[in-house]
Amino acid sequence: MLEPKHTLFLFWICALQQGLSELHPGDDLSNESLRRELLALRNEVSQLRQEVRQNGGGRFLQKNETHSETPFEDRSRRLLLPLPMTTSGTANNSYRIAFSADSPTDYSNLAVHQTLAFGHVISNVGNFYHHSTGIFNPNVSGVYVFDVHILQCISGHDVHTELVVEGVRKGGTYAGGSSTCAYGGQLTIVHVNAGDSVWVRLSASDGHNSFGWETSFSGYLLFED
């Protein structure tokens, strides 16, 4: 009788032989070396099955019998090895930084270059957004995603805002040109160094502005340096 492990091995061989029987030399495979290897593998499986039949269904290998591994056995061992661990994406999970806030504290008649402080904090993972000042100060250098949405509630008047990193404009929004409330927004992906200050400020206005509570500022770390 075959040992259980040998029975499972022969069952696997039969299943593999059945799958490979549909492969023909003329099949169009994108990888020529793979096609040749599969054809060779089919021949090796056929030889193994023939050897088992010649043994009359008896032992597959005697105890303590030494043998050299066939290419087929070597492949099967490799296929059963655990997949190597990858480190891709580890940096993304090393630090968790994200925030979202809306409802500007000062919402009407803002002056040019006045910072918008978003007083209602929805989330603040890492606690790097300061709602009292409206400034985001991360402690990790990397590429960040920022999303700014502006709702201007005085019809007939335009407002422009901008995303600022360390005093340098990195993105802008426009809301205006409507007989009712006007809406504008922009998604910006930018590199930020640890300790940098990031905020939203009014960049242009005729002085007639009023921001709805839906005006918001959000951001998160995409990946660290």
Side-chain angles (χ1 to χ4, degrees):
M1 294 292 295
L2 290 175
E3 294 182 7
K5 63 181 181 180
H6 294 152
T7 302
L8 291 174
F9 181 67
L10 289 176
F11 177 79
W12 187 70
I13 289 177
C14 294
L16 184 60
Q17 172 68 18
Q18 182 178 359
L20 292 174
S21 63
E22 300 178 2
L23 183 64
H24 302 288
D27 287 344
D28 183 15
L29 296 177
S30 59
N31 193 322
E32 180 64 22
S33 61
L34 177 61
R35 186 185 70 83
R36 290 196 299 267
E37 185 174 358
L38 288 175
L39 291 174
L41 181 59
R42 184 179 65 179
N43 294 333
E44 293 168 7
V45 171
S46 299
Q47 293 175 5
L48 287 174
R49 294 187 64 187
Q50 184 176 1
E51 291 175 6
V52 172
R53 291 195 190 96
Q54 290 176 354
N55 288 332
R59 62 172 178 81
F60 187 75
L61 284 176
Q62 290 281 9
K63 292 183 179 180
N64 301 324
E65 181 178 355
T66 61
H67 71 289
S68 60
E69 287 189 346
T70 66
F72 171 76
E73 290 171 323
D74 182 59
R75 288 192 198 94
S76 65
R77 289 179 184 273
R78 292 200 306 269
L79 290 173
L80 295 175
L81 289 176
L83 293 174
M85 296 296 292
T86 61
T87 57
S88 61
T90 301
N92 292 349
N93 296 325
S94 298
Y95 297 93
R96 299 177 184 272
I97 300 176
F99 74 94
S100 183
D102 60 17
S103 302
T105 304
D106 295 324
Y107 60 88
S108 63
N109 300 322
L110 274 66
V112 174
H113 285 179
Q114 184 171 343
T115 300
L116 275 71
F118 300 85
H120 176 222
V121 177
I122 302 170
S123 61
N124 195 9
V125 180
N127 295 316
F128 297 112
Y129 175 72
H130 308 284
H131 66 88
S132 60
T133 62
I135 295 177
F136 172 65
N137 288 113
N139 67 344
V140 177
S141 297
V143 174
Y144 287 78
V145 178
F146 296 104
D147 196 14
V148 179
H149 292 276
I150 301 297
L151 181 65
Q152 157 71 317
C153 293
I154 299 181
S155 62
H157 296 274
D158 300 343
V159 294
H160 298 260
T161 63
E162 56 189 4
L163 176 72
V164 180
V165 179
E166 284 297 292
V168 179
R169 183 184 187 276
K170 296 296 184 179
T173 61
Y174 163 78
S178 173
S179 59
T180 58
C181 292
Y183 179 82
Q186 183 183 48
L187 183 72
T188 305
I189 301 175
V190 62
H191 183 273
V192 177
N193 293 316
D196 281 355
S197 295
V198 184
W199 69 93
V200 177
R201 69 186 181 189
L202 191 66
S203 59
S205 173
D206 60 5
H208 299 281
N209 52 71
S210 179
F211 296 97
W213 68 266
E214 299 90 345
T215 301
S216 63
F217 180 30
S218 304
Y220 62 89
L221 173 64
L222 184 62
F223 59 86
E224 65 188 86
D225 287 345

